[in-house]
Amino acid sequence: MASTTPTETPPAPPAASRRAASTGRVGDKVFLGLSRGSGILLLAIMASIAVFLSYRAALAISKDEGNFLTTFDWNPAGDPPVFGIAVLLFGTVVSSIIAMAIAVPIAVGIALFISHYAPRRIAAPLAYVVDLLAAVPSIIYGIWGALFLVPYLGGLNLWLDEYLGWTYIFDKTEVGVARSLFTVGILLAIMILPIVTSVSREVFLQVPRMNEEAALALGATRWEVIRMSVLPFGRSGVISASMLGLGRALGETMAVATVLSPSFLISLHILDPGGGTFAQNIAAKFDEANQFGRDALIASGLVLFVLTLLVNGAARLIIARRKEYSGANA
């Protein structure tokens, strides 16, 4: 009886060969060139922005008589010129942290309600309203914050001072209107809420239906399904959404400038009026500044640019590690 040899399956071509084979058509080559050119153009734009900011910042810092990182004053037109970013960095970071602490939990809760709890006749209009909030211009938020939040947050500030003043953070040492970093944080939270909610909602809707049905079949409650299936699956997406919101909070200009009373004093009491952020300071002082003053403002803009890059880089690193961890446990 003749022996038969099994037919050997040829090995799959490497990824590089498959990519090369996919570019045989003219359309594929054109699309590949456009995609590659877009990526290179984006890198070139980022590099040109960094070079411009670095050059103008170096001109200003070289003539600064103080310490650019620790000085609590902003007077580039003085003799000698003195300016620093300590107050601006503190105000930007603190207001963004307050906004994230308020917005992210609420946004995740709204996204879960729309995607897994609300009936369709309620979920669709609610999702539309949330998306519509993202289209509201920042100056509208600023006007609303100045005319509504500032007058009516006084009672909340007094309540926080009375019951949480022992934390030192909510200890209100100055009496005045609520033009503080706390008010700015609440306003920024409202502004970034639709961004975080929309992205998180779309991520939660991508959870495999079979995973949820299997958990329900095993007797899990709705909350246990969300805790064991939905939230782990969407963690990377929620982090990405949060970083998008944080990017807007860090660079928000007009709304902050409308609400905040600028002052170059650092106070750990976030209910006290005053403070400052990078974007608000640039918008308020750019028109009236001389050439050297604009270089000083550009130097502060460079710090904001670097801070934003660091935040986004950290987010990408966290997401990459989460994917590696999920792949290793799969």
Side-chain angles (χ1 to χ4, degrees):
M1 185 175 184
S3 60
T4 59
T5 58
T7 303
E8 296 183 357
T9 303
S17 300
R18 291 197 300 269
R19 287 196 298 268
S22 65
T23 59
R25 297 182 179 179
V26 176
D28 291 339
K29 292 181 179 180
V30 172
F31 181 76
L32 176 62
L34 292 175
S35 301
R36 184 176 298 168
S38 300
I40 295 173
L41 178 62
L42 177 61
L43 293 177
I45 293 174
M46 293 292 293
S48 63
I49 293 175
V51 170
F52 169 77
L53 293 177
S54 300
Y55 173 72
R56 297 290 293 270
L59 294 177
I61 295 175
S62 63
K63 300 177 183 178
D64 184 16
E65 295 295 331
N67 191 317
F68 179 65
L69 298 177
T70 59
T71 300
F72 285 21
D73 193 13
W74 190 273
N75 188 20
D79 187 19
V82 177
F83 57 92
I85 63 165
V87 177
L88 303 178
L89 181 61
F90 176 82
T92 301
V93 172
V94 169
S95 61
S96 299
I97 290 176
I98 295 172
M100 296 296 292
I102 297 174
V104 172
I106 297 176
V108 172
I110 295 174
L112 287 173
F113 176 75
I114 294 175
S115 60
H116 287 81
Y117 283 99
R120 181 171 298 180
R121 65 178 183 275
I122 298 177
L126 183 58
Y128 175 76
V129 171
V130 171
D131 294 338
L132 189 63
L133 288 175
V136 177
S138 60
I139 187 61
I140 303 301
Y141 282 109
I143 295 174
W144 175 79
L147 298 179
F148 181 82
L149 280 183
V150 171
Y152 292 102
L153 274 183
L156 177 61
N157 289 352
L158 293 176
W159 185 89
L160 291 173
D161 180 30
E162 180 178 358
Y163 293 99
L164 297 177
W166 57 270
T167 62
Y168 187 81
I169 297 176
F170 295 102
D171 184 14
K172 187 174 179 60
T173 61
E174 296 186 22
V175 179
V177 294
R179 293 185 178 273
S180 61
L181 292 177
F182 181 66
T183 304
V184 172
I186 294 177
L187 182 61
L188 291 177
I190 297 173
M191 295 180 66
I192 68 176
L193 186 67
I195 299 175
V196 183
T197 301
S198 298
V199 178
S200 300
R201 182 188 74 236
E202 294 302 322
V203 172
F204 293 151
L205 290 174
Q206 300 303 318
V207 177
R209 188 65 180 174
M210 294 180 61
N211 293 0
E212 300 182 35
E213 293 177 350
L216 291 173
L218 292 175
T221 62
R222 174 63 63 179
W223 164 242
E224 289 173 338
V225 170
I226 291 175
R227 181 169 56 87
M228 295 185 297
S229 298
V230 179
L231 291 179
F233 180 87
R235 185 175 288 114
S236 298
V238 172
I239 294 174
S240 300
S242 302
M243 292 305 105
L244 286 174
L246 180 58
R248 181 173 185 181
L250 289 173
E252 182 54 46
T253 304
M254 295 309 301
V256 178
T258 307
V259 170
L260 189 62
S261 296
S263 66
F264 275 82
L265 294 174
I266 289 181
S267 175
L268 297 180
H269 308 288
I270 62 175
L271 300 181
D272 287 343
T277 65
F278 287 113
Q280 172 264 333
N281 187 61
I282 293 173
K285 293 183 168 58
F286 195 83
D287 284 342
E288 62 186 26
N290 55 22
Q291 183 64 33
F292 180 75
R294 293 184 179 182
D295 289 341
L297 293 173
I298 290 174
S300 67
L302 175 63
V303 178
L304 179 59
F305 180 76
V306 173
L307 180 63
T308 306
L309 290 181
L310 291 177
V311 168
N312 285 277
R316 296 294 301 177
L317 182 61
I318 293 173
I319 294 172
R321 288 187 175 182
R322 288 296 309 173
K323 289 182 178 179
E324 291 178 1
Y325 177 78
S326 301
N329 292 340

